[in-house]
Amino acid sequence: MNYLELLGTLVGVVYLWLEYRASIYLWLACIVMPAIYLVVYYRAGLYADFGINIYYLLASVYGWMVWKRGERRRHREAIPAADASLPITSMPGRMYLPLAAILIVCWLGIAWILIRYTDSNVPWMDSFTTALSIVAMWMLARKYVEQWWAWMIVDWVCCGLYLYKALYFTSALYALYAVVAFFGWRKWLKLMETEK
C-alpha cells in the first residue's frame, strides 16, 4: 500500500511541475494520479476523496479538451502562444457568487452522504476538501489564475487530514503542493501579463 501511495506522490510531483509551467501535459498526469489514489483513498476510508478522484478523471478529460482547442487554434492559424484561445486570466467577478454557492451546496451534500452512508470519521474535512477541489478543478480548466488560491486552501487542509490518517507521503505531497501553489500563482500572474 505504501508503494502505491509513493507512486501516486511521484506522479503528483510531475503533475505539479507541469501545472506550474501551465503545460497542457498536466492533464495526462492528472488522469494517472487519480487512478492510483482511488485505491489509496478507498482503503484509507476517505470516501469523499475517493469520489473526487472520479471527478478528477472526468475533469481532466474536459481540461485537456479545453486547452487542446486553444492549442489547435494557435497551430491552425499560425498565431503566437500568447494569442491562443484560452489565455490565463483573472476570474470574472460575476463568477464568485455562483462558485461560492456550488462550494457550499457540494460541501453540505457530500458531508451529509458521508455522515449518513459511510463510516468516515472525518466527514466535514473530507467533504470540504472535495467540494473546494471540484470548484478549483473547474477554475484550472478555465485557466483562471485564482485557482491557485483555492488549491492552496485545499492543500493545507489535506496536509493535516492526511497526517491524521497516517498517509505520510501524501501529506508531504500536499504540503509541497501548498508551497508550490504560491509560486505557481506568482508565475501565472507573470504569464498572464506576458500574454496581454
Side-chain angles (χ1 to χ4, degrees):
M1 185 62 181
N2 287 340
Y3 292 115
L4 194 56
E5 183 191 355
L6 182 58
L7 177 60
T9 302
L10 294 175
V11 174
V13 170
V14 171
Y15 159 79
L16 187 59
W17 179 72
L18 292 169
E19 183 182 6
Y20 175 81
R21 296 176 45 100
S23 168
I24 193 170
Y25 297 107
L26 75 92
W27 298 111
L28 297 178
C30 200
I31 289 169
V32 173
M33 187 173 61
I36 294 167
Y37 273 106
L38 281 170
V39 176
V40 172
Y41 291 144
Y42 184 79
R43 290 185 178 171
L46 291 165
Y47 304 116
D49 282 337
F50 169 82
I52 192 66
N53 278 279
I54 295 169
Y55 169 76
Y56 283 158
L57 285 169
L58 299 174
S60 296
V61 172
Y62 169 75
W64 174 267
M65 289 178 355
V66 170
W67 285 33
K68 194 67 175 168
R69 190 169 42 234
E71 290 288 315
R72 278 197 304 266
R73 178 179 171 262
R74 183 167 50 98
H75 291 298
R76 182 178 63 243
E77 298 175 17
I79 56 177
D83 296 326
S85 65
L86 190 66
I88 296 170
T89 60
S90 287
M91 191 167 70
R94 70 181 187 282
M95 297 303 301
Y96 283 95
L97 188 57
L99 285 179
I102 290 169
L103 171 65
I104 291 167
V105 168
C106 288
W107 185 11
L108 295 174
I110 295 166
W112 179 79
I113 291 168
L114 293 179
I115 291 166
R116 184 155 175 94
Y117 297 107
T118 74
D119 61 352
S120 176
N121 63 348
V122 287
W124 290 104
M125 297 282 278
D126 196 8
S127 59
F128 172 75
T129 58
T130 301
L132 187 53
S133 295
I134 289 168
V135 171
M137 193 70 162
W138 180 83
M139 292 169 67
L140 172 60
R142 302 307 306 166
K143 273 191 170 177
Y144 292 139
V145 72
E146 293 83 0
Q147 59 96 15
W148 287 107
W149 286 101
W151 287 122
M152 278 186 255
I153 294 167
V154 168
D155 296 339
W156 283 119
V157 173
C158 282
C159 184
L161 181 61
Y162 299 151
L163 274 175
Y164 176 75
K165 286 291 191 171
L167 297 172
Y168 302 115
F169 290 123
T170 306
S171 179
L173 174 65
Y174 276 78
L176 176 64
Y177 277 177
V179 171
V180 174
F182 175 76
F183 292 103
W185 168 69
R186 291 182 54 173
K187 179 168 179 68
W188 275 38
L189 284 176
K190 288 178 187 174
L191 290 171
M192 187 170 66
E193 289 302 314
T194 302
E195 289 176 354
K196 287 181 183 176

